[in-house]
Amino acid sequence: MPELTSSGPVDRDWWRGCVIYQIYPRSFQDTDGDGIGDLKGITKRLGYIASLGVDAIWISPFFKSPMKDFGYDVTDYCDVDPMFGTLADFDALVAEAHRLGLKVMIDEVLSHTADSHPWFAESRSSRDNPKADWYVWADARPDGTPPNNWLSIFGGSAWQWDTRRQQYYLHNFLSEQPDLNFHNREVQDALLDVTRFWLERGVDGFRLDTINFYFHSQGLEDNPALPLEERNDQTAPSVNPYNYQDHLYDKSRPENLAFLERFRALLDEYPAAAAVGEVGDSQRGLEIVAAYTEGGRRVQMCYAFDFLAPEKISAPKVRQVLQDFGRVAVDGWSCWAFSNHDVVRYASRWAVDEPDPAAYLKLVSALLMSLRGSVCLYQGEELGLTEADLAFEDLRDPYGIRFWPEFKGRDGCRTPMVWQAGAKNGGFSTAKPWLPVPAEHLAGAVDVQQGDENSLLEHYRRFLAFRRAHPALVKGDIEFLPSGGDTVAFTRGYGNERLVCVFNLGNRPAAVDLGAGLTVQPLAGHGFASEADAGRVEPGGYGAWFGRLA
C-alpha cells in the first residue's frame, strides 16, 4: 500500500518504469541575457516538459564550480553557482515542478570534487591535517614516476604530482578533479550529509555520476592489459588508451556495495526518494548494474552504456542486452537511454544514413519507451536534434580539445535548445550563447513541430500517453518472441494485462509470425499501423505493432 502524507498517498515505486527528461542547464533556457541557461529558465519551460508526459526531470550539475568540467567539478555541494541563480531559484523550480506533477532529480557528483574545493585545499596542505586522508594520496615510485599505471578517462596518467605534500593524488578525470577517498568513513558521512541537504529541500531523487568510481583498491595494483580483441569504445572513444586496460583496481570495487547500502538507507528515510546510477565499465557494465540494484538494498536503478556507445542499435543487440540483463539481474532494474550530455546524439549516430531518418527516429524512440526498465530522454531528443558540427575554436569541452580531431568531445550534443525558429538564437538567449546554435536545428524548433501530428515532437507526446495508458509497458516483465532479420518482438506483462510489441528496424516491410492459436487484439493510439492477420504481423519499413493478448 502507498504511504500517506499530508498531501495524500505516496508511491515509493514511482521510479519503476518512470520516464526522466534530462536537462543540461547551461543549454536549456537563458533568462538573464548572459548566453548561459539558468534555473529560472528551467522553471519557465517546465510546462513544456510536463506536456510531453514524462514523470521526472534530471538536472545536470548547477552547484558552485570553477567550470573546468562544466559543473562536474564542485566547490560547494550545497549551493547554486551564481551563473545559474540562487537556492531560492532552485526552491521555486522544485515547487513549480511538483505543482505540475513532475519529480525532481539532481546530479550528485560524489566521486570527486574540484581542486578548489575547501576540502582539497585542506587535504593538500600537509600530510597530517584533519582532512589529509579525504583524498587518494600516494608516494611516488623510487624513480619519481606515478604509483601505478592507472589512466585518466580524460587522457594521460590518473595521478597528478602535488608539490605541497610531495605526493601524487588520484584523478580519474581532469587533474583539477581529485578523487575523494571513500575508504575514509568521514568522507562517506560528509557526502551523505550533502544528500540529506537536498532531500530536505524537496528533491525526489538523484542521478549519481560515475557511481562505480567511488572506491579504488588500496593496494594500488597495476591494471592488467586488456587483450586487443576485448577492447571496445562503450565508455571512452576508441582513440583513448584508457581502453587498453582491464580496470580491475581503479574502479568497480566490491567495497562500493556497503556504501550504496548506507546511501539507500538514507533515501528510505524519505517518502519516495530514488536514485539512478551511471555505470561506466566497458567489460562488466550489466553485471555491475545488477549488483548495484539487486534486492532493494542499494540504488533503485542504474544505466550502463550499452545503447549509448557508437555501435548502431540492431534487433540482435536489443535482444542480447535485454536478455543478458534479465539473466544477471533477476530482481534488478535498469534505466535505458539512447542519448545524453556525454555522447553523440543518436539522431546522428544511427539515423543519418537511413533512407527516412524521421520515420526511423519515431520507430527507435517507441522501442526505447517499450523496453523493460525506466527511460531517460535527453533534451532535444524529442525534436530530433542532430550532433552539432563545431569548429575547433568553438569547442569548450577539455575532453574534445585533448583528443581533437578524431574525437571532437561532448560540445556537439550540448548546444542550446531551439524553442522558436524565427527568434534570435532559436529563442534560447538574447546574447551570444556559450555554444553556437546550429542553423540546421532551427527547422526543428519547438514552435515548428508543436501541433503538427506528423512531427517527432507530437510522436513523443502521443507515444508517452499510450505508454501511460498501459501499465504493462511501464512496470511489466518482458519475454522475447521468435523473430528474425531487423525485427524485434516481445511481450510485456503486468497484472492482468499482457501486450505484444513488434518493431521493424529496417526500411522494408517485414513479417513476424506470432504463433498459431494466439489471439491478439490490435491496439491503437500509438501512431503506427495496427492491422494483423491471424497471428501474423507485417509492419512496414520502420513500423511497429502493438496488441493485447486475449
Side-chain angles (χ1 to χ4, degrees):
M1 292 288 293
E3 295 185 13
L4 291 175
T5 68
S6 59
S7 58
V10 174
D11 180 12
R12 276 193 174 270
D13 207 34
W14 67 266
W15 53 269
R16 191 179 296 274
C18 71
V19 178
I20 305 166
Y21 187 90
Q22 182 195 354
I23 297 169
Y24 194 69
R26 294 180 69 94
S27 298
F28 200 59
Q29 178 68 70
D30 173 26
T31 62
D32 60 6
D34 64 356
I36 297 172
D38 45 53
L39 295 181
K40 286 183 177 179
I42 296 173
T43 304
K44 176 181 177 180
R45 298 295 185 179
L46 285 174
Y48 165 79
I49 298 171
S51 77
L52 297 174
V54 302
D55 304 292
I57 57 173
W58 146 28
I59 310 174
S60 289
F62 51 83
F63 317 110
K64 282 190 174 178
S65 167
M67 299 294 165
K68 297 290 180 62
D69 191 24
F70 301 105
Y72 285 91
D73 47 329
V74 179
T75 56
D76 188 341
Y77 283 110
C78 297
D79 203 357
V80 175
D81 193 282
M83 76 166 55
F84 296 124
T86 66
L87 280 170
D89 293 335
F90 179 78
D91 293 341
L93 187 161
V94 172
E96 178 63 6
H98 287 169
R99 187 187 72 80
L100 292 168
L102 294 169
K103 305 287 188 184
V104 178
M105 307 181 80
I106 64 172
D107 219 324
E108 275 207 311
V109 190
L110 302 183
S111 68
H112 53 265
T113 69
D115 62 357
S116 52
H117 195 291
W119 295 349
F120 189 68
E122 183 173 354
S123 185
R124 77 191 316 183
S125 66
S126 68
R127 297 193 185 192
D128 58 2
N129 67 80
K131 289 185 172 58
D133 193 40
W134 276 44
Y135 292 81
V136 184
W137 295 96
D139 291 328
R141 287 173 170 169
D143 63 358
T145 56
N148 57 34
N149 71 345
W150 296 353
L151 296 173
S152 162
I153 283 188
F154 285 172
S157 172
W159 297 96
Q160 178 70 28
W161 180 253
D162 184 75
T163 56
R164 297 166 183 81
R165 287 184 50 146
Q166 305 264 317
Q167 285 182 305
Y168 284 96
Y169 65 83
L170 179 68
H171 62 93
N172 277 296
F173 299 91
L174 293 176
S175 61
E176 295 90 347
Q177 294 171 296
D179 275 60
L180 286 160
N181 178 19
F182 274 72
H183 293 284
N184 185 324
R185 183 83 171 194
E186 291 182 351
V187 170
Q188 294 186 28
D189 292 344
L191 294 172
L192 292 175
D193 287 344
V194 166
T195 303
R196 187 182 296 278
F197 172 87
W198 291 106
L199 288 168
E200 290 293 322
R201 291 201 93 86
V203 306
D204 303 287
F206 304 91
R207 180 265 189 181
L208 298 175
D209 184 62
T210 59
I211 190 175
N212 60 312
F213 283 76
Y214 292 169
F215 283 84
H216 66 287
S217 171
Q218 291 181 294
L220 301 183
E221 301 92 333
D222 280 349
N223 283 326
L226 190 68
L228 179 62
E229 63 274 13
E230 295 181 26
R231 297 176 192 169
N232 65 63
D233 54 1
Q234 282 193 3
T235 56
S238 58
V239 297
N240 192 340
Y242 188 85
N243 298 316
Y244 293 19
Q245 293 184 359
D246 191 1
H247 293 271
L248 296 178
Y249 300 112
D250 53 349
K251 65 181 182 181
S252 306
R253 301 297 299 167
E255 298 94 329
N256 204 19
L257 299 179
F259 171 73
L260 294 180
E261 289 172 7
R262 293 193 71 199
F263 186 88
R264 177 61 178 268
L266 172 57
L267 293 189
D268 286 346
E269 294 180 26
Y270 294 80
V276 54
E278 175 199 31
V279 172
D281 192 298
S282 296
Q283 275 65 55
R284 291 165 289 274
L286 289 181
E287 289 81 359
I288 295 167
V289 171
Y292 288 8
T293 62
E294 72 175 1
R297 294 176 294 154
R298 295 155 194 157
V299 294
Q300 284 83 353
M301 50 188 171
C302 286
Y303 72 87
F305 282 70
D306 299 89
F307 296 127
L308 293 167
E311 178 190 354
K312 189 171 184 176
I313 195 171
S314 66
K317 181 171 183 176
V318 171
R319 285 191 291 268
Q320 177 189 338
V321 170
L322 270 291
Q323 288 176 333
D324 285 350
F325 183 76
R327 174 177 49 80
V328 302
V330 176
D331 62 348
W333 197 257
S334 189
C335 186
W336 305 110
F338 289 170
S339 286
N340 67 21
H341 66 294
D342 282 334
V343 302
V344 173
R345 288 183 176 274
Y346 84 88
S348 291
R349 291 203 322 272
W350 301 342
V352 289
D353 294 329
E354 294 290 334
D356 189 344
Y360 178 83
L361 290 176
K362 289 180 181 179
L363 184 277
V364 293
S365 64
L367 172 60
L368 170 64
M369 292 183 276
S370 300
L371 298 176
R372 180 181 184 267
S374 300
V375 177
C376 267
L377 306 177
Y378 179 49
Q379 65 181 50
E381 178 179 330
E382 75 280 11
L383 305 178
L385 297 188
T386 53
E387 187 81 355
D389 186 14
L390 302 178
F392 181 77
E393 54 269 24
D394 288 325
L395 294 190
R396 298 291 179 266
D397 182 14
Y399 199 7
I401 293 169
R402 177 69 182 267
F403 286 100
W404 177 276
E406 283 75 17
F407 173 65
K408 297 182 179 181
R410 302 164 297 179
D411 290 321
C413 66
R414 297 176 175 182
T415 55
M417 273 285 284
V418 281
W419 301 101
Q420 299 166 275
K424 184 178 182 180
N425 300 316
F428 164 71
S429 176
T430 57
K432 180 181 179 180
W434 76 286
L435 284 174
V437 176
E440 62 271 20
H441 284 186
L442 296 176
V446 171
D447 70 334
V448 173
Q449 298 197 41
Q450 190 115 314
D452 178 357
E453 288 302 309
N454 293 319
S455 71
L456 185 62
L457 171 59
E458 295 301 342
H459 160 79
Y460 269 80
R461 287 174 168 156
R462 181 169 51 243
F463 198 87
L464 283 166
F466 175 74
R467 188 177 187 275
R468 287 197 310 276
H470 296 283
L473 290 177
V474 178
K475 299 182 186 293
D477 58 22
I478 189 169
E479 183 176 338
F480 282 85
L481 300 171
S483 64
D486 293 322
T487 62
V488 181
F490 49 78
T491 61
R492 297 291 312 275
Y494 184 76
N496 295 324
E497 183 180 52
R498 194 153 195 87
L499 305 184
V500 174
C501 310
V502 179
F503 302 87
N504 176 17
L505 276 67
N507 61 8
R508 296 179 180 179
V512 175
D513 190 347
L514 299 180
L518 197 64
T519 304
V520 185
Q521 174 191 358
L523 294 174
H526 42 70
F528 297 93
S530 57
E531 296 81 12
D533 182 20
R536 180 180 172 87
V537 177
E538 298 183 357
Y542 310 128
W545 186 90
F546 299 85
R548 180 186 287 111
L549 281 170

